Amino acid sequence: MSKKRTYSAVSNRYFAAGKSVLLRAVQTARLMVGVGDYQQYLEHMQSHHPDETAMSDIEYFRYCQDSRYPGKDGSLKRCPC
């Protein structure tokens, strides 16, 4: 019976490690296309700027897209492809 528990504990640890790697890969892919980590942004706002109102997730997405692909000031017209 102890072997069963040990196997379960080991498999849970590998599952948690795999989940962490997958989450990091998703975060990296999002950052590559100009979509920031909204949860990290909210944590930053809470800890560093508690008196300011955080952007909604839609506002944050638009902010990230406009930062990545500026077009209003004439410097770059969206995707340079």
Side-chain angles (χ1 to χ4, degrees):
M1 205 180 244
S2 64
K3 288 183 182 181
K4 197 173 202 178
R5 288 184 194 162
T6 304
Y7 177 75
S8 178
V10 170
S11 65
N12 286 342
R13 184 172 35 168
Y14 284 121
F15 177 74
K19 184 177 177 183
S20 176
V21 169
L22 180 62
L23 291 175
R24 288 292 184 180
V26 169
Q27 181 183 28
T28 300
R30 286 181 177 164
L31 289 172
M32 288 173 66
V33 297
V35 179
D37 187 352
Y38 184 65
Q39 191 60 40
Q40 186 177 12
Y41 162 74
L42 290 177
E43 291 169 6
H44 170 81
M45 289 298 290
Q46 183 70 27
S47 63
H48 291 76
H49 312 285
D51 54 332
E52 295 181 25
T53 304
M55 291 182 265
S56 71
D57 57 344
I58 295 172
E59 291 171 329
Y60 182 73
F61 174 79
R62 178 55 48 208
Y63 169 79
C64 291
Q65 289 294 300
D66 289 343
S67 295
R68 173 87 170 155
Y69 306 112
K72 295 177 182 173
D73 63 359
S75 62
L76 181 67
K77 300 294 183 199
R78 296 290 171 201
C79 183
C81 300

